[in-house]
Amino acid sequence: MDDHFKKVVAHCKEYGFVFRSSDIYDGLGAVYDYGPYGTSLKNKLRAYWWKCMVQLNEEVVGLDSAIFMHPEVWKASGHVDAFNDPLIDNKDSKKRYRADVLIEEQIEKLLGKADKEVAKAAKKFAEGFDEALFRETNPRVLKYNEAAEGLRERYAAAAEKNDLTELYNIIVEQGIKCPVSGSGNWTDVRQFNLMFGTRLGSVSDEGLELYLRPETAQGIFVNYLNVQKTARMRIPFGIAQTGKAFRNEIVARQFIFRMREFEQMEMQYFVRPGTEMEWYAHWKEARLNWHLSLGLDETNYRFHDHDKLAHYANAAADIEFKFPFGFKELEGIHSRTDFDLKRHGEFSGKKITYFDPEIDEHYTPYVVETSIGLDRLFLGLLSACLQDEQLEDGSSRTVLRLPKAMAPIQVAILPLLKKDGLPEKARSIQKELSSRFEIQYDDKDAIGRRYRRQDAIGTPYCITVDHQTLEDDAVTIRDRDSMEQQRIPVSQLGAALADTDLLFLVEKYNERLSKSKF
Ligand code: GAP
């Protein structure tokens, strides 16, 4: 594990953001619980998503469908037959891997070698270095890039045909080794279905066999008619929902990046057939803008257009985020065609179509989906915002520079001393602000240590109440990022804390959207 990533994981535990599930029993593989600050951050991320997707879009409505669904749903959706990952075991280490991931890592390795050559040359030739020309002409760079491209094409063809023998051949021919045993002693590649099964009913062997949903999207599809009719929706319109999804991941590593129980925030946008590519482009841009509105550097994000499309899609892209272990998928935007609605129509025997009065036609709507993992979003934000800083006085601090409106605690109230009426005054300010802000009252330890505790959980503002406050009803407010302190009247605190409100971010998002071409 990368050092920074290790630090993020340790910080999450130490400060009550994320714990292993059933921690006192030594945890459960790839299942996690959120502590007090983690819960607050997660709630805010979810609320922000909901405001931007549902509240700001009058044509998008919400849904909260059950985790348990009729077993036919998963046959219709294709998950029973096709929601598989190709797995391979190393016979020496007995470790299990995803064959596709091993190959993708090999492609990244080759591209990394080309980048290394470029970096070496850039250092050597310094100012006169023409990177584009070097990439086009240097034989070693060309060799690595061609090898990566050839491998990508071969892999894409094998994946497309679900050719497990070819995946095995690629792994062996590329000399891919198990990172634990270092050997290339592999089993065949096999398919593994990722859905968790369970049973409904009191008698286990008579009950109906069910799956825990592997995505929230199907709850939206099977409710399409209910929602369209009851909410009187006209195409184009969207249905959004957030909720738990479950996948029996083969390789569940990397903390809350790949979990077996996780939360998704999904929206299905129903459109007239033939217009789906416009909407696909629209939602790609809108979703990237949403991420950028959080205020992290733009270089943390990039699009990755899929070579291999899922069984239901005619176009798909990921918004990738620069996690401590590299760029990885954060959100998927998929043009899912009419696959799901048509299949549910066939399997249920119900007519799932829309009458479009504008063109006087019945059709099965096409769907553009946006799908993001809340836990992944949480991890990305936390790892980008957790920083160690050297201060001018030679000391250091750990600071979590979360977007202010996402901070679990918006403001800390700190009486300078635990006497002379300062706690009482601090408590009265807390009472005044508590209906609008999440506040932490802290009177323990020296003020410097209290600041550090708040920095570590990302609290944007600390308010110090001192003897002067009793006379002039003013406090010192300290900014987490600049550490600057300002004296302001208590009556102005509400305004000074305004940028810790979600509304502040919503406005930023709106501003970005108003400049976009859609
Ligand atoms: N309905 C489409 C769908 O589920 P997906 O790409 O499989 O698409 C969407 O998942 C998002 O869910 C991903 O971009 C990721 O953020 C999140 N996700 C998927 N599997 C996950 C896992 N095992 N742990 C955490 N998040 C996961």
Side-chain angles (χ1 to χ4, degrees):
M1 239 197 250
D2 158 277
D3 278 349
H4 180 62
F5 188 36
K6 268 191 208 154
K7 191 162 173 132
V8 170
V9 177
H11 194 88
C12 278
K13 178 166 184 179
E14 187 181 348
Y15 286 93
F17 282 87
V18 183
F19 308 121
R20 290 189 302 179
S21 158
S22 329
D23 200 23
I24 56 169
Y25 292 97
D26 292 333
L28 182 67
V31 187
Y32 291 90
D33 298 339
Y34 285 80
Y37 301 130
T39 306
S40 172
L41 172 54
K42 208 172 154 199
N43 285 344
K44 287 182 185 192
L45 286 168
R46 191 190 301 106
Y48 182 46
W49 182 87
W50 194 265
K51 272 184 189 291
C52 295
M53 297 300 280
V54 182
Q55 192 178 323
L56 289 187
N57 293 302
E58 65 172 328
E59 82 285 14
V60 178
V61 290
L63 180 75
D64 184 4
S65 71
I67 287 171
F68 290 139
M69 299 179 76
H70 195 284
E72 284 297 297
V73 167
W74 307 110
K75 287 188 192 152
S77 68
H79 283 81
V80 170
D81 291 330
F83 196 54
N84 300 317
D85 275 343
L87 68 82
I88 189 165
D89 292 287
N90 184 269
K91 291 181 193 163
D92 298 320
S93 67
K94 310 273 184 277
K95 291 276 172 206
R96 181 161 284 182
Y97 299 90
R98 270 175 58 177
D100 55 336
V101 171
L102 287 179
I103 297 170
E104 276 163 14
E105 283 172 357
Q106 178 73 2
I107 296 171
E108 288 298 317
K109 223 185 208 170
L110 291 165
L111 292 173
K113 283 184 179 171
D115 288 343
K116 251 192 196 151
E117 292 292 336
V118 175
K120 255 192 334 205
K123 207 169 166 193
K124 188 167 157 196
F125 298 113
E127 276 180 14
F129 183 60
D130 181 342
E131 181 177 328
L133 187 67
F134 187 80
R135 280 189 184 275
E136 273 168 31
T137 54
N138 180 271
R140 275 194 301 275
V141 172
L142 290 175
K143 186 183 85 181
Y144 290 132
N145 281 340
E146 271 164 27
E149 199 40 46
L151 182 53
R152 197 197 300 280
E153 278 169 20
R154 189 174 167 196
Y155 161 61
E160 186 65 40
K161 287 187 271 170
N162 259 329
D163 186 342
L164 303 182
T165 313
E166 175 68 348
L167 292 181
Y168 173 83
N169 290 341
I170 293 175
I171 289 173
V172 172
E173 284 167 34
Q174 288 287 319
I176 296 173
K177 301 277 187 287
C178 164
V180 176
S181 68
S183 89
N185 194 8
W186 299 108
T187 62
D188 288 341
V189 177
R190 284 166 296 146
Q191 291 287 25
F192 177 77
N193 192 286
L194 299 182
M195 285 196 293
F196 281 105
T198 185
R199 277 182 176 277
L200 189 79
S202 54
V203 185
S204 67
D205 52 353
E206 283 178 14
L208 192 59
E209 235 186 289
L210 296 184
Y211 294 107
L212 297 185
R213 65 181 179 196
E215 62 171 12
T216 60
Q218 296 303 324
I220 295 179
F221 290 124
V222 300
N223 275 293
Y224 164 80
L225 285 177
N226 285 338
V227 175
Q228 191 268 323
K229 291 203 168 118
T230 55
R232 296 181 299 120
M233 304 308 289
R234 288 180 150 222
I235 270 177
F237 74 92
I239 305 177
Q241 81 164 326
T242 69
K244 287 281 178 105
F246 303 83
R247 295 183 189 178
N248 199 0
E249 298 283 359
I250 300 169
V251 187
R253 280 183 308 211
Q254 295 164 321
F255 192 39
I256 55 172
F257 179 81
R258 196 177 301 286
M259 303 158 88
R260 296 202 165 100
E261 174 181 342
F262 58 100
E263 188 165 339
Q264 288 188 317
M265 306 194 289
E266 299 200 299
M267 195 269 307
Q268 312 293 322
Y269 204 71
F270 299 92
V271 305
R272 189 182 289 164
T275 64
E276 72 273 15
M277 284 307 157
E278 271 166 60
W279 287 111
Y280 172 66
H282 165 87
W283 282 108
K284 266 176 86 173
E285 178 161 342
R287 293 305 303 148
L288 183 63
N289 272 314
W290 186 83
H291 288 284
L292 294 175
S293 70
L294 289 168
L296 302 187
D297 201 274
E298 296 202 6
T299 56
N300 283 303
Y301 303 90
R302 71 179 189 196
F303 276 116
H304 165 71
D305 294 308
H306 284 209
D307 295 330
K308 187 199 170 199
L309 294 173
H311 58 273
Y312 47 72
N314 68 359
D318 295 335
I319 295 178
E320 293 189 334
F321 185 79
K322 202 200 272 174
F323 288 94
F325 36 84
F327 270 102
K328 298 276 175 205
E329 173 184 348
L330 170 61
E331 168 154 8
I333 296 126
H334 312 122
S335 172
R336 288 180 80 129
T337 67
D338 56 0
F339 176 86
D340 300 86
L341 289 184
K342 272 217 164 116
R343 294 272 293 189
H344 287 306
E346 282 162 31
F347 277 67
S348 67
K350 304 280 186 311
K351 189 170 164 222
I352 308 182
T353 54
Y354 175 78
F355 175 69
D356 191 331
E358 282 177 33
I359 54 171
D360 202 21
E361 253 181 49
H362 285 276
Y363 55 76
T364 307
Y366 269 46
V367 172
V368 174
E369 164 185 74
T370 72
S371 173
I372 179 167
L374 178 51
D375 312 85
R376 248 180 225 191
L377 177 65
F378 181 110
L379 177 62
L381 205 59
L382 225 105
S383 43
C385 294
L386 184 66
Q387 291 167 10
D388 277 328
E389 257 183 25
Q390 287 302 321
L391 304 179
E392 279 172 12
D393 65 2
S395 64
S396 66
R397 68 166 181 160
T398 298
V399 55
L400 191 58
R401 289 177 184 269
L402 288 171
K404 288 182 172 172
M406 287 296 157
I409 301 292
Q410 287 159 288
V411 57
I413 299 192
L414 319 171
L416 195 61
L417 298 175
K418 261 201 257 185
K419 56 181 187 184
D420 302 339
L422 300 188
E424 290 75 11
K425 179 65 185 169
R427 286 287 189 198
S428 88
I429 297 173
Q430 177 184 13
K431 201 165 166 213
E432 224 172 281
L433 297 176
S434 62
S435 60
R436 288 176 60 196
F437 301 100
E438 273 149 302
I439 300 176
Q440 192 165 82
Y441 176 91
D442 188 3
D443 61 9
K444 210 163 172 284
D445 299 320
I447 195 76
R449 287 188 69 176
R450 283 185 264 169
Y451 284 155
R452 293 292 173 272
R453 274 204 290 272
Q454 296 301 329
D455 287 344
I457 59 168
T459 309
Y461 295 108
C462 289
I463 291 171
T464 309
V465 174
D466 55 23
H467 290 96
Q468 185 73 22
T469 310
L470 302 179
E471 284 163 29
D472 61 6
D473 209 30
V475 289
T476 304
I477 181 164
R478 170 192 181 266
D479 182 283
R480 175 196 69 197
D481 298 337
S482 64
M483 295 196 293
E484 270 168 21
Q485 302 193 5
Q486 231 188 315
R487 195 87 191 157
I488 62 167
V490 170
S491 60
Q492 286 175 21
L493 277 175
L497 301 174
D499 62 356
T500 67
D501 196 294
L502 270 190
L503 212 60
F504 179 81
L505 277 186
V506 175
E507 277 164 15
K508 287 237 166 306
Y509 173 65
N510 247 340
E511 241 170 67
R512 283 191 162 272
L513 278 197
S514 65
K515 287 185 203 140
S516 99
K517 61 174 181 280
F518 291 101

